[in-house]
Amino acid sequence: GEGWLIHMATGDSLRADTVVLAVGHRPPNDPIGNRWSGSRSRYITNPWAPMSLNVISPQDNVVILGSGLTAVDTVLSLVDGQRSGTITMVSRRGLFPQAHAELPITASDLTPEVSIFLADTSKSRLLNLARGLRKKARRMIGEGGDWRAVIDGLRPHLSAIWRSLSLGDRQRFLRFLRPYWEIHRHRMATQISAAFGELHDAGKIEFVAGQIASAQATNAGVELIIEQRHSKHRLAIAADWVINCTGPLPSNTSSGNPAIGSLLVDGWLKPDLLGLGIETTETGMALNVSHEPVDDLLVIGTLRKATEWESTAVPELRVQAAEIARMVVQRVSSSPNVGSAVTG
């Protein structure tokens, strides 16, 4: 009833009547866990850590876990110079991001398709939407157009679509459709795609679809056993280094981020059931454990993925920041003594 008290690591504290949570992701999860035995000195768990890749020599053989944009950036960092060692990318499906169009494209107007989907109450509505979009993309390609126009045209409607999905449909999307959506939505720049493609064509990158069954570290390096996706055949790979590029985690656990840890413990924040972020209103107010809006605890960014789905890129964040700023200004204007704090 008296606002918020923010304790700083330096020992100082701040009082505020309004708090805006603008925290980002946590470092990647460990996809190997207890299947790794021996020293972890050759396991780079966070490729974003400063100087983390400098220990890798051009002749070292490297296994990269993941095949998304982080993995692509890591590959290009490793081949910045003469490289004789092999690079093997391991991911569950062996997919990697598509490229942006070489020339600007105009996004399709998908308002009619989205309206039909929102009015659809059948159990197969999500599958119907996916099939309809795929058919539209193929038709555009056949007419000399670009499939990216369909993906880009869907983007303004993503929040409305996501909010309309049942918990079951969201689970099905995450399990079956998300990998394919991600590689078409989060695309490589054309020059990066070209460089990456040249490396693959030259045989400097290998792709393996599967998951790590075991990893045994020795003095000489790491012996990995990979269970391939379709055949279930177990493939042995020797590596000097293993790099985890499986992507960041949401900061929605009490141990994951001290800025929100106590808020979660005390019930001011409520993680969503799918572990994507925290529950919020459509305007960005946090929802507490009783599912009540907390009007002086506002949220921007990745923590709103549970409600918005599309909540990590600049266009969406810019809109969120403007809306939250207006809400803060309104509170300050109505109460001249109100102060606010932003943590991010």
Side-chain angles (χ1 to χ4, degrees):
E2 298 179 359
W4 300 96
L5 187 62
I6 300 97
H7 300 289
M8 312 299 289
T10 59
D12 298 329
S13 297
L14 296 173
R15 287 192 176 277
D17 295 279
T18 304
V19 172
V20 180
L21 298 175
V23 301
H25 288 106
R26 284 192 292 153
N29 192 14
D30 179 7
I32 300 180
N34 58 14
R35 288 167 290 167
W36 182 291
S37 59
S39 170
R40 292 200 165 209
S41 60
R42 290 184 174 269
Y43 186 20
I44 298 175
T45 58
N46 184 2
W48 300 307
M51 315 297 284
S52 62
L53 303 182
N54 288 10
V55 295
I56 301 176
S57 302
Q59 67 272 16
D60 289 342
N61 297 326
V62 178
V63 168
I64 293 178
L65 307 180
S67 58
L69 294 177
T70 298
V72 170
D73 288 342
T74 300
V75 168
L76 295 180
S77 298
L78 292 175
V79 297
D80 188 13
Q82 296 298 320
R83 162 157 284 277
S84 58
T86 62
I87 298 176
T88 304
M89 303 179 73
V90 180
S91 64
R92 287 183 178 273
R93 291 173 174 79
L95 304 172
F96 55 91
Q98 299 295 298
H100 280 298
E102 294 185 2
L103 298 174
I105 60 174
T106 301
S108 299
D109 180 10
L110 297 184
T111 303
E113 289 85 352
V114 173
S115 297
I116 293 173
F117 167 78
L118 294 177
D120 187 354
T121 58
S122 69
K123 293 183 178 180
S124 59
R125 62 197 298 258
L126 182 61
L127 181 60
N128 293 340
L129 177 64
R131 287 175 172 170
L133 293 174
R134 187 165 57 231
K135 186 180 297 184
K136 187 177 182 68
R138 288 174 175 167
R139 185 167 60 251
M140 290 196 68
I141 294 173
E143 296 172 352
D146 196 311
W147 58 264
R148 297 167 184 82
V150 177
I151 300 297
D152 295 349
L154 194 64
R155 189 169 176 178
H157 306 284
L158 287 176
S159 291
I161 291 173
W162 182 256
R163 290 171 191 155
S164 76
L165 295 180
S166 65
L167 178 62
D169 273 344
R170 292 184 182 187
Q171 290 172 321
R172 281 184 281 275
F173 170 81
L174 294 175
R175 182 178 179 183
F176 299 111
L177 296 177
R178 180 179 185 174
Y180 302 98
W181 167 256
E182 298 282 11
I183 65 171
H184 291 89
R185 161 66 184 88
H186 300 287
R187 304 190 289 265
M188 293 185 279
T190 52
Q191 63 271 25
I192 291 178
S193 176
F196 189 72
E198 289 175 4
L199 292 171
H200 178 256
D201 293 341
K204 295 184 178 181
I205 311 172
E206 295 182 0
F207 298 107
V208 177
Q211 57 183 335
I212 305 298
S214 66
Q216 172 68 54
T218 66
N219 292 333
V222 184
E223 295 287 338
L224 295 119
I225 303 297
I226 301 170
E227 184 177 277
Q228 294 179 283
R229 176 175 173 80
H230 296 293
S231 66
K232 302 302 179 181
H233 172 73
R234 293 207 163 192
L235 177 68
I237 297 181
D240 295 294
W241 297 94
V242 178
I243 308 174
N244 179 18
C245 296
T246 54
L249 289 175
S251 298
N252 65 340
T253 63
S254 57
S255 61
N257 193 313
I260 66 172
S262 60
L263 296 172
L264 287 164
V265 170
D266 293 337
W268 290 106
L269 297 178
K270 179 184 179 182
D272 73 293
L273 294 175
L274 299 177
L276 298 173
I278 62 172
E279 299 283 2
T280 65
T281 66
E282 293 184 13
T283 58
M285 293 182 190
L287 294 174
N288 62 23
V289 292
S290 300
H291 212 70
E292 300 167 336
V294 185
D295 62 359
D296 54 3
L297 185 58
L298 310 176
V299 185
I300 298 174
T302 183
L303 286 174
R304 288 174 62 174
K305 195 175 182 71
T307 304
E308 307 290 336
W309 177 252
E310 189 73 37
S311 191
T312 57
V314 170
E316 287 75 26
L317 299 183
R318 185 167 52 220
V319 172
Q320 290 181 17
E323 292 175 344
I324 294 297
R326 281 193 291 270
M327 294 169 68
V328 171
V329 168
Q330 288 175 356
R331 290 181 60 83
V332 172
S333 300
S334 60
S335 301
N337 295 324
V338 166
S340 64
V342 175
T343 176

